[in-house]
Amino acid sequence: MKFYQTWQGRALGTENSEWFSASVPGNIQKDYAVANGFADWQYADGYKQFLPLEDLDWEYRASLSFEKKEGERVYFVTEGISYKYDILLGGEVIYSYEGMFKPARIDITDRLTDSENILTVHIYPHPKSSRGCRGTRDEANESCIPPVMYGWDWNPRLLMSGMWDEAYIETRDSSYISDTEVLCRLSDDMTVGFVDASWLCGEDCELILLDHEGNEVFRGRERSFTVTRPNLWWCNGQGEPYLYTWIIRNSRHEVSGNIGFRKIRLVRNTGANGPAEFPKSRYEAPITVELNGRRIFAKGSNWVNPELFWGDITEERYRTLISLAKDCNMNIFRMWGGAGAPKKSFYDICDREGIMIWQEFMLACNEYIDTGSYMQVLEKEATAIIKKFRAHPSLAFWCGGNELFNSWSGMDEQSYPLRLLNKLCLELDYDRPFIYTSPLFGMAHGGYVFYSEDQGGDAFNQFIRSNNTAYTEFGIPSLADADTLKEIIPENELFPVVKTAAWTAHHAFGAWGDKRWLCAEVMEKYFGKADSLEELLRQSQWLQCEGYRGAFEEMRRQWPHCSMAINWCYNEPWKTAAGNELIAYPERPKAAYEYVKLALRPTLFSARIPKIDWRAGECFEAELWLLNDAPSDASGKVRATLTVGTESYELIEWEACVTRGENRRGPTVRMTLPDLGYSSIITLTLSSENAGTESKYELLYYPKKPRSAVRILNM
Amino acid sequence: MKFYQTWQGRALGTENSEWFSASVPGNIQKDYAVANGFADWQYADGYKQFLPLEDLDWEYRASLSFEKKEGERVYFVTEGISYKYDILLGGEVIYSYEGMFKPARIDITDRLTDSENILTVHIYPHPKSSRGCRGTRDEANESCIPPVMYGWDWNPRLLMSGMWDEAYIETRDSSYISDTEVLCRLSDDMTVGFVDASWLCGEDCELILLDHEGNEVFRGRERSFTVTRPNLWWCNGQGEPYLYTWIIRNSRHEVSGNIGFRKIRLVRNTGANGPAEFPKSRYEAPITVELNGRRIFAKGSNWVNPELFWGDITEERYRTLISLAKDCNMNIFRMWGGAGAPKKSFYDICDREGIMIWQEFMLACNEYIDTGSYMQVLEKEATAIIKKFRAHPSLAFWCGGNELFNSWSGMDEQSYPLRLLNKLCLELDYDRPFIYTSPLFGMAHGGYVFYSEDQGGDAFNQFIRSNNTAYTEFGIPSLADADTLKEIIPENELFPVVKTAAWTAHHAFGAWGDKRWLCAEVMEKYFGKADSLEELLRQSQWLQCEGYRGAFEEMRRQWPHCSMAINWCYNEPWKTAAGNELIAYPERPKAAYEYVKLALRPTLFSARIPKIDWRAGECFEAELWLLNDAPSDASGKVRATLTVGTESYELIEWEACVTRGENRRGPTVRMTLPDLGYSSIITLTLSSENAGTESKYELLYYPKKPRSAVRILNM
């Protein structure tokens, strides 16, 4: 029996140490803000109200309230408290821990008194490493706090702490079933499933397995059994995410959950054979997902925490966002390491929706070394995370963290934290792949804008010239929609957009260099100066739409050497003014979401267009492709039409067929562009009798002279 | 007290199952060959006499002979038996094992009878994996036998088994000290050494530590203590390989050994920062050896087993070969994984001589997967190897094996055997680096000839165009000397050299493709057809001399981005007719040895010469360098002189100075080559007041026409 408590909180070591009402799950800094009348921290640079709270100690307390029957034990259960804390009962420390991911189930029965029982959670300030710059994410390099909280280019600095996940008092009698875990694996030929269950209980229990239709597959008191020819769990687009339900029960208590049978490996990408000439080095690191023996193209997005205050994350939010990903034809989320690990319900939903998860540990862009107690905390936290999620079929593989082998982090295969994580995953989750970091050799991160010098061109051109095994971060920013901007930017600063505290706080300026994520110079390069906020928004969103589509389609064209396209990023934890995400806070798809959805259709006609901007007199060209990552053959006839001004030019008809999981390269169409005398949008239409496979690309067109502005009128 | 036994051996399952005298240490196939009058297996294709023995079972037996005092226990001790075997006493199996590296100490006291005690070792045939081709090294891909025994391009196929290392009966009383191990490590600032000893003994023991001069540093009964400001162990060329001696003793028994204090890491190579442009991938894997905080250039060679029959390997052979490496200015051996691990004395000698060891596990060029019992055997064998050598200061780092991440092997970071090895090294030898394989990203293997199309030029040019972090295999073959050839090739086949069974058996043909390692076409390209064996030998050896020197010096010039030059290979297990080794069997330095010794001098003037062959009218050029990997500053004045025919041209004088561990690039000298009208050797001489830093390069010169043969008259 669970008993949820009424909690209070307070800050320590400050003048204002009054108790206030605290939410659990929740975050104590937010409770403090509510109690003390903070202004809207999403507005302008309101988040800075939290900065003075960083180095405080905090306390929760509850006068425990529950009903205990004869013979029952009483537990305090927490799924996670951030970050370093003591738990006290009646003023006596009964548990101390550093780390936010390890659950605790503390038997407090023998410490309870007949009078009032006060449970206190004392939370220490967030650790700040002295290696690196003060006030930056460097400060996270000796702890297991998701470093995103120290500030990132879409996330304001906000060191939140507290009881961010479930916490309650639980009474347990001898029938209570604890420590349940049901793991399964498949025989090499995938015809036999092996189920291993474990639990602790003072009474005899039976184990039941039901298939998806509720038929009983197994019932017995054995803890291990086999399932002959189990239905396999598949990711979205490749088949059904088939789940079985297990039940462990006795006369008075019952626990249940799901399992899915599937075999997952990371295998060498096709054509990744290393240099042909001597001297020879290694070939690219394997990063092709092989699910149930089938090599698949992994397409998806980088998931980041969906709330600044993790306590506010609800299962409903997860459900909406994951459902949007499924509708977008995605099959994978990269759980970016900087944002740590989600609540358990995230995995339950992904199991059901068929979204694979690449789960990173909480290391990102820092040099984590084996200092002090860090290795011990990491071992405990990583162990907790592995055990929490390893039973989920949606969990595809583990990863040490983000960009740790890049020069700005400076970690490598010799780094002890990464060797430890590799070892723990091997010991605790043998059948699941582990990679040290992303990118590994052959994989690539970036670029993050539509056009820049350091990516050598626009988003079309950049990826056509690249030859990577996986694009696991790439992004194109846009401004938020007008409604969002009005909620966060003072009205008199809305247009023209100049660098103010509000725009900067919301990452339009200074997020990365001075100009990002607004990137005004990119819009100006293509469109000239915008006359209104609305026009600027259209320009920005249009570039994001066509850019993301172009990038995703190009990566798919590079299959099978390239086996992944995962953009930066999917969602965001608050209202940014500009950024790379597809879904704006809290769950508003941006315009680009629809374009990504089109690019990720299982089967489509696609055009490889070398650049977005064209000029009268130039020879326009586009290579036609039929893309198909579906597990079935596809065919169709396509007609390519280029519309320039009021004229439409029929360029070619092409009939193509492909087998399952294969693409077909078709003819290249070419046409010298006429001079309209004015700038415009031109359109390449790939029409087909099967409307679901059609594509339509909008490109920029300029007359020979003068180069006038292109107006983006509608999205 | 040790009692060495008299052993007999026999083959089983064949008509000839007579007992014969067996050597221990030794190999039973060799004992059989001796007993049965095999012809010299080094001659012609005589090694083939062993092929019919491959699938036999073998037996050793000894009627145990020893003296046992009251209260003593009796042990059978073996340092290693190859490969899969049972040990029987009085016909009863008392121990079974698969693997040649794990020692066994078996207490047989309670099984002894008062009459004759017969100890038998039954050896099973070598395992042959069914994955891959019969009769090739593929057959080694599911076992822990060093795969070289299955045949390699310098090693004939010879599946040897038996008691290849020490074996004896030992009586132990209560004073016997067993399981001794003394490990040490250094504080981060290297001012404090920590010593941890462990041992088992029925009596109290004291622990003593002596410095190199015999002064007592510690004496006590504690098992852990510190040494303040210990003298550090350095590798050859960087300082003294300072050793301390530990003694564990009681009134009746004493054990002793050495330790050396040093800190070793693999760190990122200078300038290895990954791609500058987006999208970005990882930077090259760290492979710079940092010894006691000092980045050093690792220069050395690949060690392979020095005998076909491992039982024949003696400490004296090790001593001679290691001493030659030290004299050659080397500081590292790569213990190539295909040849497994050496006997313990190898490490003792390297500790004393200051030669670092890169120790690989016994995986090479195969795809080892997690089949059957392989993972279990690997875990046991690797654990034994780690524990056997981890106390040695000369052991620099561990490596999973050879070329496992190359396309012909197909293993990668996901391979379970490699993840297991990484985990075991972390658990059992935390302070020592581990790499999965060689080459990693950035490192390079090859080429292996002086000139070929697939390395895009000659050995000078190839490496000038390369930009790797480490060259850990590269080779240039030569023919053996005339005396050796006369011992292995029938007289009537000596010249002209054509493909016969004898030449092929000894790797002059068919070792790699049809033409290697003779590479007649390379000699012919440069010199025309040779008229005699002697001339062919001179041509071949001259190319090896200049080629190895040119390659080693070029790799040193690429410091600090390049931090390793380790040629393929150092030694050989039998008399090859042609090959890449520097020391011919058993311990005869080839001519190239002296050239490598020159190239590896701590300080020298060196010339970057773009190719070996020049033509009249061409502009000869050479870039001058002062190379210095010594831990001290260096300076000097050099004069470059080019001798063409009878004329010497003084090209330049250059005065240079460098700090410790640094190189200096100097001026490039250029000169249009006159037309002598005949082919010749021309000489670039770098003379200096410090004769120890001088260099002299011999190059090939051809007149405008006709291109006549160059005669190599003297070496």
Side-chain angles (χ1 to χ4, degrees):
Chain A
M1 189 85 164
K2 292 179 182 176
F3 300 92
Y4 292 93
Q5 306 297 313
T6 303
W7 294 91
Q8 290 184 298
R10 64 169 174 172
L12 296 177
T14 172
E15 283 175 14
N16 182 7
S17 281
E18 296 298 302
W19 289 101
F20 49 80
S21 171
S23 315
V24 174
N27 294 104
I28 200 150
Q29 288 85 352
K30 183 181 171 191
D31 296 328
Y32 179 93
V34 170
N36 288 282
F38 277 26
D40 178 6
W41 49 86
Q42 296 258 6
Y43 182 75
D45 60 350
Y47 83 90
K48 290 180 182 167
Q49 297 167 94
F50 290 96
L51 298 181
L53 309 181
E54 279 191 0
D55 297 322
L56 300 183
D57 287 53
W58 300 89
E59 230 170 64
Y60 283 94
R61 75 169 177 192
S63 174
L64 298 184
S65 156
F66 57 91
E67 285 165 33
K68 173 182 178 302
K69 295 185 189 128
E70 184 60 29
E72 285 185 333
R73 306 292 300 178
V74 183
Y75 283 76
F76 175 60
V77 176
T78 162
E79 293 299 320
I81 298 174
S82 177
Y83 166 76
K84 189 177 177 189
Y85 59 95
D86 299 327
I87 298 174
L88 303 89
L89 188 59
E92 199 180 329
V93 175
I94 58 169
Y95 183 85
S96 292
Y97 186 67
E98 178 178 342
M100 66 181 277
F101 293 108
K102 187 178 173 188
R105 290 102 170 79
I106 307 164
D107 185 341
I108 58 173
T109 321
D110 300 336
R111 296 173 179 272
L112 292 170
T113 64
D114 292 336
S115 57
E116 194 183 28
N117 290 290
I118 302 281
L119 192 90
T120 314
V121 178
H122 180 103
I123 297 178
Y124 294 91
H126 287 81
K128 295 181 177 177
S129 156
S130 58
R131 290 188 295 121
C133 298
R134 303 301 293 169
T136 73
R137 66 194 190 195
D138 295 356
E139 290 179 332
N141 71 17
E142 289 175 9
S143 77
C144 290
I145 305 180
V148 72
M149 295 184 197
Y150 291 76
W152 223 272
D153 52 25
W154 75 93
N155 195 103
R157 182 176 175 102
L158 203 162
L159 299 180
M160 70 91 186
S161 43
M163 299 167 75
W164 67 282
D165 207 344
E166 292 270 287
Y168 47 84
I169 294 292
E170 188 171 40
T171 55
R172 303 178 177 181
D173 64 17
S174 64
S175 74
Y176 189 87
I177 306 167
S178 73
D179 299 86
T180 52
E181 185 167 43
V182 181
L183 300 173
C184 66
R185 62 198 163 82
L186 271 176
S187 63
D188 283 347
D189 65 359
M190 297 184 286
T191 60
V192 183
F194 303 93
V195 180
D196 289 291
S198 56
W199 65 83
L200 295 176
C201 185
E203 298 187 1
D204 252 15
C205 296
E206 69 172 352
L207 172 60
I208 299 164
L209 191 73
L210 305 175
D211 70 14
H212 192 53
E213 289 70 40
N215 304 308
E216 212 169 80
V217 177
F218 175 84
R219 177 191 292 259
R221 295 187 183 271
E222 303 84 3
R223 294 179 178 221
S224 297
F225 61 90
T226 58
V227 179
T228 308
R229 302 202 176 279
N231 286 297
L232 302 183
W233 185 94
W234 287 99
C235 69
N236 185 30
Q238 297 295 329
E240 188 186 350
Y242 197 98
L243 295 176
Y244 291 80
T245 300
W246 56 263
I247 300 166
I248 300 169
R249 71 181 185 195
N250 54 41
S251 55
R252 288 179 290 163
H253 193 211
E254 176 176 311
V255 189
S256 66
N258 293 318
I259 53 172
F261 295 96
R262 94 285 180 279
K263 189 182 280 290
I264 204 159
R265 301 196 304 152
L266 289 176
V267 298
R268 196 200 307 189
N269 289 49
T270 305
N273 293 320
E277 270 203 358
F278 284 106
K280 294 187 189 242
S281 193
R282 71 158 300 184
Y283 63 86
E284 294 96 319
I287 197 66
T288 297
V289 173
E290 187 195 80
L291 181 62
N292 301 330
R294 184 190 300 167
R295 287 167 173 254
I296 61 175
F297 190 87
K299 49 189 187 182
S301 196
N302 278 275
W303 178 277
V304 298
N305 48 318
E307 288 283 356
L308 293 181
F309 295 102
W310 291 32
D312 292 346
I313 303 172
T314 61
E315 187 169 345
E316 290 64 40
R317 175 72 58 75
Y318 282 153
R319 200 177 294 134
T320 306
L321 290 172
I322 294 168
S323 173
L324 280 167
K326 184 183 177 186
D327 291 345
C328 196
N329 298 307
M330 293 180 174
N331 61 22
I332 193 168
F333 279 131
R334 173 173 175 238
M335 297 290 293
W336 178 74
K343 294 178 178 175
K344 199 162 169 7
S345 58
F346 183 87
Y347 273 85
D348 292 329
I349 301 165
C350 287
D351 285 348
R352 289 197 298 271
E353 300 288 7
I355 304 293
M356 298 183 291
I357 303 164
W358 154 351
Q359 178 66 55
E360 299 195 347
F361 293 97
M362 72 304 271
L363 295 79
C365 292
N366 276 326
E367 185 177 12
Y368 297 83
I369 58 178
D370 53 339
T371 43
S373 67
Y374 173 63
M375 291 290 283
Q376 286 167 44
V377 175
L378 180 64
E379 177 154 5
K380 286 180 197 161
E381 285 286 271
T383 299
I385 290 171
I386 296 168
K387 289 185 174 174
K388 198 168 181 178
F389 299 129
R390 65 182 173 184
H392 288 274
S394 57
L395 175 50
F397 58 92
W398 298 104
C399 174
N402 179 65
E403 294 173 9
L404 303 173
F405 285 4
N406 289 83
S407 54
W408 48 92
S409 298
M411 295 179 77
D412 52 54
E413 298 92 332
Q414 298 306 321
S415 299
Y416 284 104
L418 297 180
R419 290 184 67 195
L420 173 67
L421 292 172
N422 192 357
K423 172 183 117 97
L424 291 173
C425 288
L426 188 72
E427 284 174 355
L428 301 172
D429 197 17
Y430 188 87
D431 288 326
R432 198 167 260 120
F434 170 88
I435 62 176
Y436 276 128
T437 189
S438 178
L440 295 173
F441 174 47
M443 301 164 64
H445 281 193
Y448 298 93
V449 292
F450 188 87
Y451 177 93
S452 88
E453 294 288 322
D454 71 359
Q455 69 190 39
D458 68 25
F460 288 21
N461 191 248
Q462 166 181 199
F463 295 108
I464 289 176
R465 284 186 298 97
S466 300
N467 182 31
N468 294 94
T469 52
Y471 301 89
T472 48
E473 277 193 16
F474 61 95
I476 294 149
S478 75
L479 283 159
D481 58 66
D483 289 346
T484 299
L485 290 176
K486 285 169 190 163
E487 289 162 17
I488 58 176
I489 306 293
E491 197 180 348
N492 62 346
E493 296 178 12
L494 278 170
F495 194 81
V497 182
V498 294
K499 189 176 178 181
T500 64
W503 282 104
T504 303
H506 290 273
H507 316 288
F509 295 94
W512 193 4
D514 200 45
K515 298 172 175 177
R516 295 171 182 179
W517 298 114
L518 172 63
C519 302
E521 78 288 1
V522 177
M523 269 92 81
E524 222 174 299
K525 167 186 162 69
Y526 290 113
F527 307 106
K529 275 213 185 301
D531 293 334
S532 66
L533 180 63
E534 289 62 35
E535 188 177 0
L536 190 69
L537 295 187
R538 281 199 299 270
Q539 292 172 356
S540 155
Q541 289 172 13
W542 184 85
L543 285 175
Q544 190 182 41
C545 290
E546 289 293 348
Y548 263 135
R549 171 165 63 181
F552 268 111
E553 289 190 8
E554 174 56 27
M555 290 159 197
R556 290 189 60 185
R557 286 189 291 263
Q558 294 178 16
W559 166 263
H561 180 256
C562 167
S563 62
M564 276 191 185
I566 298 179
N567 82 293
W568 186 267
C569 54
Y570 187 62
N571 57 325
E572 61 180 12
W574 78 326
K575 297 170 191 163
T576 64
N580 288 316
E581 66 289 340
L582 298 174
I583 314 276
Y585 180 88
E587 47 193 40
R588 294 192 240 189
K590 283 179 148 181
Y593 170 89
E594 292 297 331
Y595 282 66
V596 172
K597 185 174 174 176
L598 289 172
L600 299 186
R601 283 172 290 169
T603 308
L604 72 152
F605 284 103
S606 168
R608 173 179 270 157
I609 305 168
K611 58 179 182 173
I612 194 135
D613 53 328
W614 297 88
R615 180 168 288 276
E618 260 188 309
C619 180
F620 170 82
E621 65 174 49
E623 190 178 80
L624 304 189
W625 286 70
L626 176 56
L627 304 181
N628 181 40
D629 68 358
S632 52
D633 300 349
S635 63
K637 194 192 284 186
V638 67
R639 175 185 302 168
T641 310
L642 187 67
T643 307
V644 185
T646 55
E647 290 290 325
S648 282
Y649 304 88
E650 289 207 5
L651 300 176
I652 205 164
E653 277 197 357
W654 173 49
E655 193 162 357
C657 60
V658 287
T659 55
R660 61 185 198 160
E662 297 288 337
N663 299 327
R664 176 83 60 211
R665 185 167 70 174
T668 298
V669 297
R670 290 189 180 80
M671 191 188 107
T672 301
L673 295 173
D675 196 351
L676 298 178
Y678 56 90
S679 297
S680 176
I681 294 285
I682 61 177
T683 309
L684 176 68
T685 306
L686 306 184
S687 51
S688 167
E689 65 269 42
N690 179 352
T693 65
E694 293 189 338
S695 295
K696 190 171 166 183
Y697 303 89
E698 295 194 322
L699 306 162
L700 298 174
Y701 165 91
Y702 305 100
K704 281 193 176 157
K705 62 183 177 177
R707 174 163 171 158
S708 58
V710 181
R711 297 275 160 190
I712 307 281
L713 295 178
N714 302 299
M715 284 297 292
Chain B
M1 189 87 164
K2 292 180 183 174
F3 300 92
Y4 292 93
Q5 307 296 313
T6 303
W7 294 91
Q8 289 184 297
R10 64 169 173 172
L12 297 176
T14 172
E15 284 175 16
N16 182 7
S17 280
E18 296 300 303
W19 288 100
F20 49 80
S21 172
S23 315
V24 175
N27 294 103
I28 200 150
Q29 288 85 354
K30 183 182 172 190
D31 297 326
Y32 179 92
V34 170
N36 289 280
F38 276 27
D40 178 6
W41 49 85
Q42 295 258 5
Y43 182 75
D45 60 350
Y47 83 90
K48 290 180 181 167
Q49 297 166 94
F50 289 96
L51 298 182
L53 309 182
E54 279 190 359
D55 297 322
L56 301 183
D57 286 54
W58 300 89
E59 230 170 64
Y60 283 94
R61 74 169 178 192
S63 174
L64 298 184
S65 156
F66 58 90
E67 285 164 34
K68 173 181 178 304
K69 293 186 192 129
E70 184 59 29
E72 285 185 332
R73 305 294 298 179
V74 183
Y75 282 76
F76 174 61
V77 176
T78 164
E79 292 299 321
I81 298 175
S82 177
Y83 167 76
K84 188 176 177 190
Y85 59 94
D86 299 326
I87 299 174
L88 303 88
L89 188 60
E92 199 180 328
V93 175
I94 59 170
Y95 183 84
S96 293
Y97 187 66
E98 178 179 343
M100 66 181 277
F101 293 108
K102 187 178 174 186
R105 291 98 170 81
I106 307 165
D107 185 342
I108 58 173
T109 321
D110 300 336
R111 297 174 178 270
L112 293 170
T113 64
D114 292 336
S115 57
E116 193 181 27
N117 289 290
I118 302 282
L119 191 92
T120 313
V121 178
H122 179 101
I123 297 179
Y124 294 91
H126 286 81
K128 295 180 177 178
S129 155
S130 58
R131 289 189 296 121
C133 297
R134 303 300 294 170
T136 72
R137 65 194 191 195
D138 293 356
E139 291 179 331
N141 71 16
E142 288 175 9
S143 77
C144 289
I145 305 179
V148 73
M149 296 184 196
Y150 291 76
W152 224 272
D153 54 24
W154 76 93
N155 195 102
R157 182 176 175 103
L158 204 162
L159 299 181
M160 70 90 187
S161 43
M163 298 167 76
W164 68 280
D165 207 344
E166 292 270 286
Y168 48 85
I169 295 293
E170 187 170 40
T171 55
R172 303 178 177 181
D173 65 16
S174 64
S175 73
Y176 188 87
I177 306 167
S178 73
D179 299 86
T180 53
E181 185 167 42
V182 181
L183 299 172
C184 67
R185 62 199 163 82
L186 271 176
S187 63
D188 283 346
D189 65 359
M190 297 184 286
T191 61
V192 183
F194 303 93
V195 180
D196 288 291
S198 56
W199 66 84
L200 296 176
C201 186
E203 297 187 2
D204 252 16
C205 296
E206 69 172 353
L207 172 61
I208 299 165
L209 190 74
L210 305 176
D211 69 14
H212 193 52
E213 290 72 40
N215 304 308
E216 212 169 80
V217 177
F218 175 83
R219 177 190 293 259
R221 297 189 181 270
E222 303 84 4
R223 295 180 177 220
S224 296
F225 61 91
T226 59
V227 179
T228 308
R229 301 202 179 279
N231 286 298
L232 301 183
W233 185 94
W234 287 99
C235 69
N236 185 30
Q238 297 294 329
E240 188 186 351
Y242 198 98
L243 294 176
Y244 290 81
T245 300
W246 55 264
I247 300 166
I248 300 169
R249 71 181 184 196
N250 54 42
S251 53
R252 289 180 291 167
H253 192 209
E254 177 175 311
V255 189
S256 66
N258 294 317
I259 54 171
F261 295 95
R262 94 284 180 279
K263 189 181 280 291
I264 203 158
R265 300 197 305 152
L266 289 176
V267 298
R268 198 201 306 190
N269 290 48
T270 305
N273 294 320
E277 269 203 358
F278 284 105
K280 295 189 188 237
S281 192
R282 70 158 301 184
Y283 64 86
E284 294 96 319
I287 197 66
T288 297
V289 173
E290 187 194 80
L291 181 62
N292 301 329
R294 184 189 300 166
R295 286 167 174 253
I296 61 175
F297 190 87
K299 49 189 186 183
S301 195
N302 277 276
W303 177 278
V304 298
N305 48 317
E307 288 283 355
L308 293 181
F309 295 101
W310 291 32
D312 293 345
I313 303 173
T314 61
E315 189 170 343
E316 290 63 40
R317 175 71 59 74
Y318 280 154
R319 201 177 293 134
T320 306
L321 289 173
I322 294 168
S323 174
L324 280 166
K326 184 182 177 186
D327 291 346
C328 195
N329 299 307
M330 293 180 175
N331 61 21
I332 195 167
F333 279 131
R334 174 173 174 238
M335 297 290 294
W336 178 75
K343 294 178 176 175
K344 200 165 170 2
S345 58
F346 183 89
Y347 272 85
D348 293 329
I349 301 165
C350 286
D351 285 348
R352 290 197 298 271
E353 300 287 8
I355 304 294
M356 297 183 292
I357 302 165
W358 154 350
Q359 178 67 54
E360 298 193 348
F361 293 97
M362 72 305 270
L363 295 79
C365 292
N366 276 326
E367 186 177 12
Y368 297 83
I369 58 178
D370 54 340
T371 43
S373 67
Y374 173 63
M375 291 290 283
Q376 287 166 44
V377 176
L378 180 64
E379 177 154 5
K380 287 181 197 160
E381 285 286 271
T383 299
I385 290 171
I386 295 168
K387 290 185 174 173
K388 198 168 182 179
F389 299 130
R390 65 182 173 184
H392 289 274
S394 56
L395 176 49
F397 58 93
W398 299 105
C399 174
N402 179 66
E403 292 173 10
L404 303 173
F405 285 3
N406 289 83
S407 54
W408 48 92
S409 298
M411 295 179 77
D412 52 55
E413 298 92 332
Q414 298 306 322
S415 299
Y416 283 104
L418 298 179
R419 291 185 68 194
L420 173 67
L421 292 172
N422 192 358
K423 172 184 117 96
L424 291 173
C425 287
L426 188 73
E427 285 174 355
L428 301 172
D429 197 18
Y430 188 86
D431 287 327
R432 198 167 262 121
F434 170 87
I435 61 175
Y436 276 128
T437 189
S438 178
L440 296 172
F441 174 47
M443 303 165 64
H445 281 194
Y448 298 94
V449 291
F450 187 88
Y451 177 93
S452 87
E453 295 288 322
D454 71 359
Q455 68 190 39
D458 68 24
F460 287 22
N461 191 249
Q462 166 181 198
F463 295 108
I464 289 175
R465 284 185 299 98
S466 300
N467 182 31
N468 294 95
T469 53
Y471 300 89
T472 48
E473 278 193 16
F474 61 95
I476 293 148
S478 75
L479 282 159
D481 58 66
D483 289 346
T484 298
L485 290 176
K486 285 169 190 162
E487 289 161 18
I488 58 176
I489 306 294
E491 199 179 347
N492 62 346
E493 296 179 10
L494 279 169
F495 193 82
V497 182
V498 293
K499 188 175 177 182
T500 64
W503 283 104
T504 303
H506 290 273
H507 317 288
F509 295 94
W512 194 4
D514 201 46
K515 298 172 175 178
R516 295 169 183 181
W517 296 114
L518 172 62
C519 302
E521 78 289 0
V522 177
M523 271 92 83
E524 222 174 300
K525 167 186 162 70
Y526 290 114
F527 306 108
K529 276 215 185 297
D531 292 335
S532 66
L533 180 63
E534 288 63 35
E535 188 176 1
L536 190 69
L537 295 187
R538 281 198 301 271
Q539 292 171 357
S540 155
Q541 289 172 12
W542 184 85
L543 286 175
Q544 191 183 39
C545 290
E546 289 292 351
Y548 263 135
R549 173 165 62 181
F552 269 111
E553 289 190 8
E554 174 56 27
M555 290 159 197
R556 290 188 60 186
R557 286 190 290 265
Q558 292 178 16
W559 166 262
H561 180 255
C562 167
S563 62
M564 277 191 185
I566 299 179
N567 81 293
W568 185 268
C569 56
Y570 186 62
N571 57 326
E572 59 180 14
W574 78 326
K575 298 169 189 162
T576 64
N580 288 317
E581 66 289 342
L582 299 174
I583 314 275
Y585 180 86
E587 46 192 41
R588 295 192 238 190
K590 284 178 148 181
Y593 171 89
E594 292 297 332
Y595 281 68
V596 172
K597 185 174 174 176
L598 288 171
L600 299 187
R601 284 172 290 170
T603 307
L604 72 153
F605 283 104
S606 167
R608 175 179 269 156
I609 306 168
K611 58 178 181 173
I612 194 134
D613 54 327
W614 297 88
R615 180 167 288 275
E618 260 188 310
C619 180
F620 171 83
E621 66 173 49
E623 191 177 78
L624 304 189
W625 284 71
L626 176 55
L627 304 181
N628 181 40
D629 69 358
S632 52
D633 299 349
S635 63
K637 195 194 284 186
V638 66
R639 175 185 302 168
T641 309
L642 186 68
T643 306
V644 184
T646 55
E647 292 289 325
S648 283
Y649 304 88
E650 289 206 5
L651 301 177
I652 206 165
E653 277 197 356
W654 174 49
E655 194 163 357
C657 61
V658 287
T659 54
R660 62 184 197 159
E662 296 288 337
N663 300 327
R664 176 82 62 210
R665 186 168 69 175
T668 299
V669 297
R670 290 191 180 80
M671 191 188 107
T672 302
L673 294 173
D675 196 350
L676 297 178
Y678 56 89
S679 297
S680 176
I681 295 284
I682 61 176
T683 310
L684 176 68
T685 306
L686 306 184
S687 52
S688 167
E689 64 269 42
N690 179 352
T693 64
E694 293 190 337
S695 296
K696 189 170 166 184
Y697 303 88
E698 295 194 321
L699 306 163
L700 298 174
Y701 166 92
Y702 305 101
K704 281 193 175 157
K705 60 181 178 177
R707 174 165 170 158
S708 58
V710 181
R711 298 274 160 189
I712 307 283
L713 295 177
N714 303 298
M715 285 298 292

